[in-house]
Amino acid sequence: MIDLSPLVRRLAGTPLAAWADSLPAQLDERLTRSHGDLQRWQAALQALPMLTAEHIELGEQLQLAGACDDTNRAALRQALLGLSPWRKGPFDLFGVHVDTEWRSDWKWQRVAPHLELRGRRILDVGCGNGYYMWRMLGAGADCVVGIDPNWLFFCQFLALRRYLPELPAWHLPLALEDLPEKLEGFDTVFSMGVLYHRRSPIDHLLALKDCLRRGGELLLETLVVDGDASTVLVPEDRYAQMRNVWFLPSVAALELWLRRAGFVEVRCVDVAVTSVEEQRATEWMTFQSLPDFLDPTDYGRTVEGLPAPTRAALLARKP
Ligand SMILES: C[S@@+](CC[C@H](N)C(=O)[O-])C[C@H]1O[C@@H](n2cnc3c(N)ncnc32)[C@H](O)[C@@H]1O
């Protein structure tokens, strides 16, 4: 499904070379136990019309443009809808606006000004469909590897890649736990929206640190609550209807966790309440979304009566 030889060539001579060499076999093995809907998603990918992106905008927004008649535009739209639900975006592809559940561009606008990504070799852990990977390239990254075990998001990435075949971005359908220990080869590692899904958050931070070279930078983004360094919310059951949310620390607690995990220069660069304009159902994601997960009489609370989603972005360096 994906030719990894350009990635292997790209990482030759770097600390990641041996890992890159092992990836084709690992992915072949992973494909033997992939998702039951993969064939349907592959059919959607095959239905994508042949189009050439003559104008590629990844900096201010994610927009591809080029010759595309109405028939091809309708075919493109239909094929992309076959890869629904689309959660992270938006994407503007040859006149088709993929209005995703999330305005991920808003998060990128909050985070990107605090980062220097030019020339960087980046790992995006929990990259979803790879939306931010393209934006990282737009910010000047040398190459971006994303990992996410979700096969639909992998297929959505391949849809974009169809029209951006030459760009140095690779999505691997792997979890962080599938990576070898002590990779120590990335300049920047992103973990956005993943920590609160982990049952062992400190182990997650240590695993992220293992992926970085010395001096490398971590961008960690996760759900937080108000409070001091001893405040951590562990939901009794669901949080905003999600079953798999474990730890929501305060910013101060998160900073402490990062320092205990061995990071230095830990600093919070953004805190933002997630609005119902930022996360909502659309034609491209028709299931329930944030407005359904909040108390209808008080958007400051989830339906479970817990503090409504607030996200913090922190930077930290591996010494
Ligand atoms: C809430 S989404 C965040 C997506 C994106 N990073 C963002 O900030 O919008 C969490 C993502 O992490 C992925 N994920 C969950 N567990 C993971 C793991 N162990 N390793 C890598 N990715 C994981 C999920 O498949 C999902 O796409």
Side-chain angles (χ1 to χ4, degrees), residues 87-89 102 104 107 124-132 147-151 153 174-178 190-198 204 221 242 244 311:
R87 295 197 181 268
K88 307 301 161 122
W102 282 84
S104 309
K107 179 151 95 184
D124 186 5
V125 174
C127 63
N129 65 24
Y131 173 80
Y132 296 108
I147 55 170
D148 197 301
N150 183 303
W151 286 92
F153 300 159
L174 301 175
L176 182 56
E177 306 77 76
D178 296 322
F190 283 79
S191 167
M192 300 195 288
V194 181
L195 185 90
Y196 54 85
H197 290 313
R198 307 304 302 160
H204 181 69
E221 192 257 8
M242 291 183 279
N244 56 350
R311 292 176 156 76

Side-chain angles (χ1 to χ4, degrees), residues 79-95:
L80 292 172
L81 279 169
L83 295 171
S84 294
W86 285 82
R87 295 197 181 268
K88 307 301 161 122
F91 301 91
D92 268 298
L93 308 176
F94 303 95

